[in-house]
Amino acid sequence: MAQSVLKRKTGVIVGDDVLHLFNYAQEHKFAIPAINVTSSSTVVAALEAARDKKAPIILQMSQGGAAYFAGKGVKNGEQEASIAGAIAGAHYIRSIAPSYGIPVVLHTDHCAKKLLPWLDGMMAEDEKYFEKHGEPLFSSHMIDLSEEEVEWNVQTTARYLKRAAPMKQWLEMEIGITGGEEDGVNNEDVDNNSLYTQPEDIYHIYSTLVKISPYFSIAAGFGNVHGVYKPGNVKLHPELLGKHQAYVKDKIGAKEDKPVFLVFHGGSGSSKEEYTKAIGYGVVKVNLDTDLQYAYLTGIRDYVLKKKDYIMAQVGNPDGEDKPNKKYFDPRVWVREGEKTMSARVAEGLEDFNTAGQL
């Protein structure tokens, strides 16, 4: 089982453990869901599902999610809220994850060029943590310069990987644009050709980064789109990932069929068949966000609609004018309903990606 290849069996894993987990995932044809978290509530919803399904999990914070963790009242003009929120979230996850008895990869999501000060702030904290504990605070980060010129993207990514390498910290990068809109980055109007990465680019990235560190993965575009759209509106071509792997294998003379660790972005709304095909081509991580946001809402929405007459005032409900309503409006009650429905959707993803039962 997956824990057999890990030195640290539970809690946040780093360095070689992340590498070994991803190798194991490729060998056993499963991918790990990367769950966008914005609060302690969404963290525990994801951890609960992974624990119950006996599966590893990736918890990630976006720049906006990290700022939300800090509080919407904190200024963020210089990314100070996003830096502080990410650090606070990381410490919370590190503290609580061992209680769930599963390995957790602690990750940060899309960091575009304009958000690089956010990444710099987090990596500065990683370096401080490394000095004290011999490992970075975060397992991994994502740098997303896919909107920039390819060579600038590759060389800038290489520069950040050089910074991460002494800590054995993983770095995910993106080549080829993911369509749609997420966290203020809008690619809804990009040319469709930009959604499909070329194998030559994958080899160029791989050959550049592997000289620095083995701890990296590539989010290659194969028609991915953030958000959920009507069936037929998104044309995914996971077979392109197989061509990327074959091209790199041939170029480097690799024995293994899948020399590149690949990432599936824009996973919400995709079919199980599309997931399975992509995983078969070496995808080890699938991002889930939009589906989970909606799932979290449905639990709270349904509770409010069902209990509407019990939450209109602190006292007085259909059972009597003097009946107290605290047990209905206590946030621990209705927030928990959102956690339950989000957790159920995470569990569904764990089944879809063949992650369930891997521990």
Side-chain angles (χ1 to χ4, degrees):
M1 307 307 281
Q3 281 171 314
S4 66
V5 302
L6 305 178
K7 289 184 178 179
R8 184 177 297 164
K9 310 297 184 183
T10 65
V12 172
I13 63 172
V14 296
D16 287 333
D17 276 346
V18 177
L19 178 63
H20 294 156
L21 178 61
F22 287 163
N23 272 321
Y24 187 91
Q26 277 195 342
E27 291 169 10
H28 293 82
K29 295 185 178 179
F30 70 90
I32 305 165
I35 310 304
N36 281 73
V37 295
T38 57
S39 63
S40 61
S41 178
T42 51
V43 167
V44 299
L47 289 173
E48 227 176 270
R51 178 200 63 198
D52 294 348
K53 288 294 181 178
K54 296 180 172 56
I57 197 83
I58 299 170
L59 300 183
Q60 63 186 23
M61 287 174 278
S62 67
Q63 180 262 357
Y68 190 84
F69 229 114
K72 294 295 285 185
V74 180
K75 292 181 180 179
N76 205 27
E78 303 295 328
Q79 301 300 323
E80 56 264 53
S82 292
I83 294 168
I87 293 168
H91 282 291
Y92 171 71
I93 291 167
R94 275 186 168 272
S95 297
I96 202 66
S99 300
Y100 288 82
I102 56 170
V104 175
V105 177
L106 176 53
H107 182 64
T108 61
D109 204 8
H110 295 270
C111 180
K113 182 180 180 180
K114 65 182 180 181
L115 303 180
L116 286 176
W118 174 50
L119 180 56
D120 288 331
M122 291 187 294
M123 292 191 77
E125 193 67 21
D126 283 318
E127 288 158 346
K128 291 179 184 177
Y129 195 89
F130 183 80
E131 288 180 9
K132 293 182 179 179
H133 304 284
E135 64 184 60
L137 178 62
F138 295 88
S139 311
S140 57
H141 295 293
M142 184 201 177
I143 183 168
D144 178 5
L145 305 175
S146 56
E147 292 182 306
E148 313 304 323
E149 189 270 328
V150 171
E151 192 57 27
W152 192 86
N153 178 355
V154 175
Q155 295 307 319
T156 305
T157 298
R159 178 163 57 85
Y160 277 93
L161 187 59
K162 287 177 182 176
R163 184 176 180 182
M167 300 182 283
K168 290 190 174 183
Q169 186 175 52
W170 198 273
L171 190 66
E172 176 186 332
M173 67 88 67
E174 182 163 349
I175 185 75
I177 293 172
T178 300
E181 189 275 335
E182 182 177 62
D183 232 347
V185 178
N186 193 322
N187 292 325
E188 292 179 312
D189 298 322
V190 299
D191 178 11
N192 278 346
N193 290 330
S194 300
L195 303 179
Y196 302 100
T197 305
Q198 301 305 307
E200 293 83 2
D201 288 333
I202 299 297
Y203 170 66
H204 177 43
I205 295 162
Y206 179 88
S207 61
T208 300
L209 300 185
V210 77
K211 296 171 186 174
I212 302 168
S213 166
Y215 308 104
F216 68 91
S217 51
I218 302 172
F222 56 100
N224 321 54
V225 175
H226 286 133
V228 177
Y229 297 83
K230 289 183 180 179
N233 284 7
V234 177
K235 305 294 184 183
L236 288 178
H237 291 281
E239 69 277 4
L240 294 176
L241 302 178
K243 293 180 180 179
H244 298 336
Q245 296 282 20
Y247 188 85
V248 174
K249 177 184 177 179
D250 180 64
K251 282 289 189 178
I252 68 174
K255 292 182 180 179
E256 64 269 24
D257 291 329
K258 296 173 283 190
V260 185
F261 294 108
L262 295 172
V263 176
F264 187 152
H265 280 205
S268 290
S270 300
S271 69
K272 185 171 182 177
E273 181 183 7
E274 288 168 332
Y275 292 138
T276 301
K277 284 183 178 179
I279 291 166
Y281 294 127
V283 164
V284 296
K285 172 179 178 280
V286 181
N287 284 13
L288 281 181
D289 186 20
T290 304
D291 279 359
L292 300 180
Q293 291 177 346
Y294 186 72
Y296 191 93
L297 166 69
T298 58
I300 297 173
R301 177 200 66 196
D302 293 349
Y303 176 84
V304 168
L305 292 174
K306 184 179 179 181
K307 300 295 184 181
K308 179 177 70 71
D309 293 334
Y310 292 83
I311 58 174
M312 300 305 290
Q314 291 192 55
V315 177
N317 61 49
D319 299 331
E321 293 182 0
D322 60 344
K323 297 294 184 182
N325 293 321
K326 186 179 187 307
K327 65 180 180 181
Y328 300 107
F329 64 72
D330 185 331
R332 291 172 295 181
V333 176
W334 52 268
V335 169
R336 178 59 181 159
E337 295 304 311
E339 292 172 1
K340 289 177 183 176
T341 46
M342 177 180 164
S343 192
R345 181 61 185 87
V346 174
E348 183 182 330
L350 291 165
E351 293 286 352
D352 286 346
F353 309 156
N354 197 33
T355 333
Q358 294 291 348
L359 296 181

